[in-house]
């Protein structure tokens, strides 16, 4: 009954897509449990590059059942564009199923996302403008529209009319914008109805059945721990719960059915959008990380902010998620550096913080305390075994293990599926 959660331990873009893909040969089902098409998960197979926004990253394996669970917010236009694109490239999304309880991202959600960012001005969150926050807000306010509502035209229209009554008033009266028309939305959504009907399931029932039959289910998070609505750097967060606990809620599985939790950690740190980032490097080293790591957003193309690995964050992520293992990605990007920094604590107003600070002001204003490690300065991207890495690269990995107290079971040294080293041998997903 192995349920394995894959979770980002930083601010997203840790390489979750790559690791989910690498593990998918061993699993029967891959479940996206939260977020929406704010996510961008990259999988590279030779010359082929896939950028998944809503589809679970295991979708390209014919034996895998991809599931979009109840905790996800679904933009149907994006979903079907992604499916069509995949099929055009000769892959099938035939097995994809979608929870009837997942909420729909509506056109007015995208509009409100953009308007709210504009209104915030300098205080803007830097959202992906995909309507994610407004969709989750409507879900919590109980005025959202769910995938299953599409199966009943009367209910869909009733809910849409009720929602639009209020939305249109705000749009016209507060923002001076044009109102949305019920008819236009109904028409555009009903083109998807037949296509979606055959895919709508009780995903919680299906996932639990798989687990009870002893099959292996991978739960793929979007975003990362510090973008978590409750535990991240609020308000500079997303509107869902990427942390491992979110997998239980988002997928409808009990905590006792989760056997392993793997944290995906970039060998340095990136962040897109606003918010505190203690180890951000504004100098040439940050630039080098961005250039060599090709740190441009998979979804919005924005340049990612870059900085050094932050152990204070990572230790907190290990605790919040209950990490069993770490998969360390993009180690190859650090090959360029003579010295590599690891942040082991923060200093603020004469006080040293080794534990994630209670007050977020500390994160905004602190000075990172670094340990410096010698770089290895040679290409490691073609190395096939962990033991063959230069000693200094192994030392860096071992130092992270020691500081966080969690084994690093996979080290990624390039974008490709094969560019992964396993310090402890094959990851045994079955081990209790
Ligand atoms: P995700 O959102 O966590 O799935 O990560 P993204 O796909 O948004 O960003 C990670 C980027 O790093 C992608 O372009 C990956 O192809 C790339 N990547 C993943 N692992 C490695 C690695 O070990 N080395 C290098 N150089 N690139 C990697
Ligand atoms: P993956 O799954 C990195 C960031 C946005 C913004 C904040 C809120 O690829 O790791 P939202 O549109 O969610 O309301 O934006 O969260 N953000 C991400 N940053 N990777 C992601 O996803 C992200 N999804 C959202 O940049 O700062
Ligand atoms: Mg991404």
């Amino acid at each position: 009954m192995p349920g394995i959660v894959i979770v980002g331990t930083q601010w997203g873009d840790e390489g979750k897509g790559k690791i989910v893909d690498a593990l998918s040969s061993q699993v029967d089902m891959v479940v996206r449990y939260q977020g929406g098409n704010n996510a961008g998960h990259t999988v590279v197979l030779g010359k082929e590059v896939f950028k998944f926004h809503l589809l679970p990253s295991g979708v390209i394996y014919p034996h895998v059942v991809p599931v979009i669970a109840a905790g996800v917010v679904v933009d149907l236009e994006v979903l079907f564009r992604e499916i069509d694109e995949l099929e055009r490239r000769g892959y099938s999304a035939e097995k994809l199923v979608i929870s009837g309880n997942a909420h729909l991202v509506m056109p007015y959600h995208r509009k409100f996302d953009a308007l709210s960012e504009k209104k915030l001005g300098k205080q803007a969150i830097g959202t992906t403008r995909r309507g994610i926050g407004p969709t989750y807000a409507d879900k919590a306010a109980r005025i959202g529209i769910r995938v299953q509502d599409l199966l009943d035209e009367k209910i869909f229209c009733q809910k849409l009319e009720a929602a639009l009554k209020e939305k249109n008033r705000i749009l016209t009266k507060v923002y001076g914008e044009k109102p949305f028309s019920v008819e236009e939305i109904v028409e555009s959504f009903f083109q998807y109805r037949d296509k979606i009907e055959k895919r709508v399931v009780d995903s919680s029932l299906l996932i639990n059945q798989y687990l009870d039959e002893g099959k292996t289910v991978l739960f793929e998070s979007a975003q990362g721990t510090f973008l978590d609505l409750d535990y991240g750097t609020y308000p500079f967060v997303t509107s869902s719960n990427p942390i491992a606990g979110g997998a239980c809620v988002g997928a409808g599985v009990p905590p006792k059915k989760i056997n392993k939790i793997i944290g995906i950690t970039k060998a340095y740190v990136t962040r897109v959008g606003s918010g505190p980032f203690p180890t951000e490097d504004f100098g040439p080293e940050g630039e080098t990380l961005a250039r060599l790591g090709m740190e441009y957003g998979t979804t919005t193309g924005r340049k990612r902010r870059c900085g050094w690995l932050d152990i204070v964050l990572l230790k907190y992520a290990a605790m919040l998620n209950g990490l069993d293992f770490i998969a360390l990605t993009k180690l190859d990007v650090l090959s360029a550096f003579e010295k590599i920094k690891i942040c082991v604590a923060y200093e603020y107003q004469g006080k040293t913080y080794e534990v994630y600070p209670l007050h977020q002001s500390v994160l905004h204003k602190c000075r990172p305390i670094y340990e410096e490690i010698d770089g290895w300065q040679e290409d490691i991207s073609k190395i096939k075994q962990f033991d063959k890495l230069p000693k200094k690269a192994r030392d860096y990995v071992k130092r992270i293990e020691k500081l966080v107290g969690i084994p690093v079971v996979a080290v990624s040294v390039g974008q490709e599926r094969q560019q992964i080293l396993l310090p402890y041998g094959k990851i045994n997903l079955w081990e209790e």
Side-chain angles (χ1 to χ4, degrees):
M1 190 188 63
I4 296 121
V5 179
I6 300 290
V7 63
T9 61
Q10 295 155 335
W11 279 290
D13 302 326
E14 296 91 349
K16 297 175 291 292
K18 149 124 194 192
I19 302 297
V20 169
D21 172 72
L23 289 172
S24 289
S25 62
Q26 298 182 59
V27 312
D28 301 293
M29 181 180 263
V30 179
V31 180
R32 263 287 302 275
Y33 60 85
Q34 47 66 237
N37 58 307
N38 46 350
H41 297 176
T42 314
V43 172
V44 177
L45 283 183
K47 286 203 170 60
E48 285 204 273
V49 180
F50 301 88
K51 292 175 192 283
F52 297 119
H53 301 289
L54 275 164
L55 294 177
S57 298
V59 66
I60 51 181
Y61 286 83
H63 73 278
V64 166
V65 176
V67 180
I68 294 179
V72 176
V73 291
V74 181
D75 186 323
L76 289 176
E77 194 185 323
V78 174
L79 177 68
F80 284 105
R81 213 188 306 137
E82 238 182 301
I83 293 174
D84 290 348
E85 165 75 5
L86 196 70
E87 291 179 344
R88 198 180 53 72
R89 292 167 69 168
Y91 293 84
S92 166
E94 193 55 34
K95 290 188 177 159
L96 174 77
V97 289
I98 304 166
S99 167
N101 288 2
H103 277 247
L104 293 171
V105 177
M106 306 299 288
Y108 47 85
H109 291 135
R110 287 193 296 267
K111 183 79 186 169
F112 276 108
D113 198 351
L115 288 171
S116 145
E117 284 287 274
K118 198 167 156 205
K119 185 181 68 187
L120 285 168
K122 275 195 181 140
Q123 268 84 44
I125 294 162
T127 72
T128 59
R129 301 195 176 205
R130 300 300 192 260
I132 307 301
T135 307
Y136 279 114
D138 276 4
K139 173 179 173 175
R142 293 156 296 179
I143 51 165
I145 301 179
R146 299 192 288 177
V147 167
Q148 60 177 284
D149 297 330
L150 265 177
L151 309 183
D152 185 326
E153 190 165 350
K154 199 165 147 221
I155 286 186
F156 184 85
C157 291
Q158 260 173 16
K159 290 192 172 183
L160 181 61
E161 269 168 29
L164 274 187
K165 223 181 211 171
E166 191 199 5
K167 306 285 174 202
N168 278 341
R169 236 185 355 240
I170 301 172
L171 273 175
T172 53
K173 301 260 184 320
V174 177
Y175 291 103
E177 294 278 337
K178 280 201 312 228
F180 281 91
S181 126
V182 174
E183 292 72 29
E184 272 172 34
I185 296 182
V186 169
E187 197 186 326
S188 73
F189 271 65
F190 273 78
Q191 60 172 311
Y192 300 116
R193 187 181 143 144
D194 292 341
K195 289 206 264 183
I196 198 127
E197 192 161 12
K198 61 174 186 187
R199 299 186 187 269
V200 180
V201 295
D202 179 336
S203 60
S204 165
L205 196 65
L206 184 69
I207 298 164
N208 277 282
Q209 267 167 5
Y210 260 60
L211 289 166
D212 293 344
E213 285 166 12
K215 293 181 172 150
T216 306
V217 178
L218 209 60
F219 297 90
E220 175 182 8
S221 87
Q223 292 83 50
T225 300
F226 296 95
L227 287 172
D228 186 279
L229 178 61
D230 291 278
Y231 299 98
T233 48
Y234 190 90
F236 306 104
V237 292
T238 192
S239 301
S240 65
N241 294 107
I243 60 169
C248 294
V249 181
V253 295
K256 63 185 174 192
K257 288 191 184 170
I258 303 295
N259 306 66
K260 286 278 180 293
I261 298 158
I262 306 180
I264 315 303
T265 302
K266 205 181 277 196
Y268 49 97
V269 179
T270 61
R271 169 161 211 171
V272 197
S274 318
F277 180 175
T279 63
E280 183 167 14
D281 190 305
F282 298 95
E285 291 177 330
E287 277 301 318
T288 305
L289 288 171
R291 182 169 46 83
L292 298 178
M294 296 192 287
E295 297 296 352
Y296 292 88
T298 310
T299 298
T300 58
R302 287 177 290 174
K303 189 173 177 200
R304 296 173 180 152
R305 300 156 63 192
C306 294
W308 298 103
L309 187 66
D310 185 335
I311 297 293
V312 182
L313 289 186
L314 195 48
K315 283 195 299 194
Y316 200 62
M319 179 204 73
L320 278 174
N321 293 297
L323 298 187
D324 292 294
F325 303 135
I326 286 174
L328 190 71
T329 61
K330 304 192 94 160
L331 188 66
D332 53 304
V333 174
L334 297 185
S335 300
F337 295 91
E338 200 181 322
K339 295 277 180 198
I340 295 167
K341 291 185 200 156
I342 305 181
C343 168
V344 290
Y346 307 140
E347 192 270 330
Y348 178 62
Q349 292 186 331
K351 201 172 155 200
T352 304
Y353 294 82
E354 284 181 12
V355 175
Y356 191 74
L358 167 73
H359 208 291
Q360 201 163 295
S361 298
V362 179
L363 277 192
H364 282 270
K365 296 177 188 156
C366 68
R367 181 182 64 83
I369 301 176
Y370 288 115
E371 215 177 81
E372 268 197 354
I373 305 247
D374 286 338
W376 45 93
Q377 295 195 281
E378 59 182 281
D379 180 14
I380 58 169
S381 64
K382 293 179 190 65
I383 290 177
K384 302 257 183 305
Q385 282 172 28
F386 183 76
D387 295 345
K388 300 269 159 54
L389 280 175
K391 179 170 180 311
K392 285 173 181 160
R394 278 182 282 133
D395 286 348
Y396 181 69
V397 176
K398 292 289 156 197
R399 188 70 192 134
I400 296 168
E401 271 190 341
K402 178 110 195 293
L403 288 166
V404 189
I406 309 279
V408 175
V409 298
V411 177
S412 176
V413 292
Q415 289 188 293
E416 292 250 9
R417 190 182 278 172
Q418 295 78 8
Q419 287 175 296
I420 194 161
L421 316 174
L422 306 175
Y424 297 94
K426 190 171 167 187
I427 310 168
N428 187 354
L429 298 177
W430 287 92
E431 193 187 295
E432 285 300 323

